[in-house]
Amino acid sequence: MNQDAKVTAPTRVLRVALLGCGTVGRQVAGTLLDKAEDLAAKAGCHLELIGIAVRNVNKPREGIPPELLTDDAAGLVANGGADIVIELIGGIDPPRELIVSAINHGASVVTANKALLAAHGEEIYAAAEKNRVDIYFEAAVAGAIPIVRPLRESLVGDEIRSVMGIVNGTTNYILDKMTNDHQDFEEALATAQQLGYAEQDPTADVEGYDAAAKAAILAGLAFHSPVSGSDVFREGITSVSTADIEAARASDCVVKLLAIAKIDEHDRISVRVHPAMVPYSHPLAMVNGPYNAIFVEAANAGRLMFMGPGAGGSPTASAVTGDLVTVARNRMRGVVGPAHSVYQAHQLAPMGETRTRYYVRFRVADQSGVLASVASLLAKHHVSVHSIRQTPIEDGREAASARVSMMTHEAQESDMMVCLEELEKSDYVLGSVRLMRAEGA
């Protein structure tokens, strides 16, 4: 190569408006301001930050020129002449109105807003397609982990059969502390909050709302059908006990909060979020701390694993900046990226018709015939037992009792729920019955 050759610097400018200047927004703004030449070389144009919409323009923000700040987000979007709008406010309103306004004014959009896309994605995708602009959202699902683009582009010629993953770092950290440090849920949550892995109000994470929104997005991408957050069965981790953790350990499993999207035998989509026992042999079992991982099974590509930091300022900003460069390249070429594909119309399978395996634990009167009665009850409802163990309980009580723990073969959820109800009503079961789903066999 001629050492005297000069690289021609990009001359065209694209104007970028940023909505939100929190942890992620500050890092994105810093990249646009401090690494402008590097971004220009990658994008093929200069990316000029024309404004940052915030609630309080008087709040000091280190490294951010005050003249860029505005509290008029609607005006910045509608009247600023932005080519690209980056939405990092979060929540449903006002981001919904701002994004639609940006699209209708001809701007492409980059967002990390999973709640909005899960609730109103179809409206936003349709607006983007109508106006021939991009909507990119890699950061909305798993932080820095590239999963949206592989599903939307790399694997589009394949047939996705299932997507299963750990998509919430907060809950994975909590369950990891419960497993490895023997903390109970409240202790593990407090540790996560102290370290900044959990919000002071952790409801969205620990009750599964965050993961459900991401599961809806993943299901829509994987199966080319409209799926909203309300379509996702959701169960959080607040009821997971140390006894559940130890039961999983005894079964060579670990408890994880999983987001699962599958096509069933009737060509319907099953989408759910719940704690599950995962065997040590499965790759997801080894994903620890605040990390995320997504396990994809495709007809031709086989099994694929995507893993990395799923939250935090730097990982999320990395995904946002990557989308920004891609969108800028598209605009420079006068093209748009792949539209959100919803050419299929899969029906949604009711949770009661979902099939999986179950771990069940309960206390019984320690007397002959109990296990036979349990097996008979399960068989009546088409539930087959894979393994069963009965352990005597010595707690000083007069009446002898034993703890029964068992793992079923794959069964239908509605059948298992009937068994659960009848077990709790039976004369030989003492107290409540604890059930946990098992995945990844």
Side-chain angles (χ1 to χ4, degrees), residues 15-17 50 76-78 80-86 98-110 124 127-129 131-136 327 331 336:
R15 295 160 61 84
V16 180
I50 62 170
L76 177 62
V77 167
D83 298 293
I84 303 171
V85 172
I86 303 173
L98 293 171
I99 286 178
V100 171
S101 175
I103 290 171
N104 288 336
H105 282 87
S108 292
V109 172
V110 174
I124 291 168
E129 186 170 6
N131 288 276
R132 295 286 297 163
V133 297
D134 281 323
I135 172 76
Y136 272 61
V327 169
R331 289 187 79 94
V336 293

Side-chain angles (χ1 to χ4, degrees), residues 3-62:
Q3 297 297 318
D4 296 327
K6 294 183 179 180
V7 177
T8 303
T11 57
R12 184 174 170 185
V13 176
L14 291 181
R15 295 160 61 84
V16 180
L18 177 60
L19 309 181
C21 197
T23 302
V24 178
R26 284 196 303 272
Q27 296 207 30
V28 172
T31 300
L32 282 164
L33 295 169
D34 301 336
K35 298 183 178 180
E37 290 186 10
D38 185 48
L39 284 179
K42 293 175 179 176
C45 62
H46 290 287
L47 297 171
E48 178 190 358
L49 183 58
I50 62 170
I52 305 173
V54 296
R55 289 182 180 176
N56 182 4
V57 295
N58 297 315
K59 179 180 177 180
R61 293 174 173 84
E62 185 178 353

Side-chain angles (χ1 to χ4, degrees), residues 248-264:
R249 197 192 314 274
S251 302
D252 293 328
C253 293
V254 64
V255 177
K256 298 290 185 183
L257 181 71
L258 295 183
I260 303 167
K262 293 183 177 180
I263 292 287
D264 69 11

Side-chain angles (χ1 to χ4, degrees), residues 267-280:
D267 205 35
R268 300 175 303 180
I269 301 174
S270 167
V271 195
R272 48 200 165 97
V273 167
H274 54 70
M277 291 187 177
V278 180
Y280 291 147

Side-chain angles (χ1 to χ4, degrees), residues 22 60 71 95 97 100 197 238 250 257 294 308 310 364 368 383 391 393 405 415:
D71 56 8
E97 292 84 357
V100 171
Y197 291 133
T238 53
L257 181 71
I294 299 172
V364 298
S368 62
V383 177
T391 307
I393 298 175
S405 56
D415 291 335

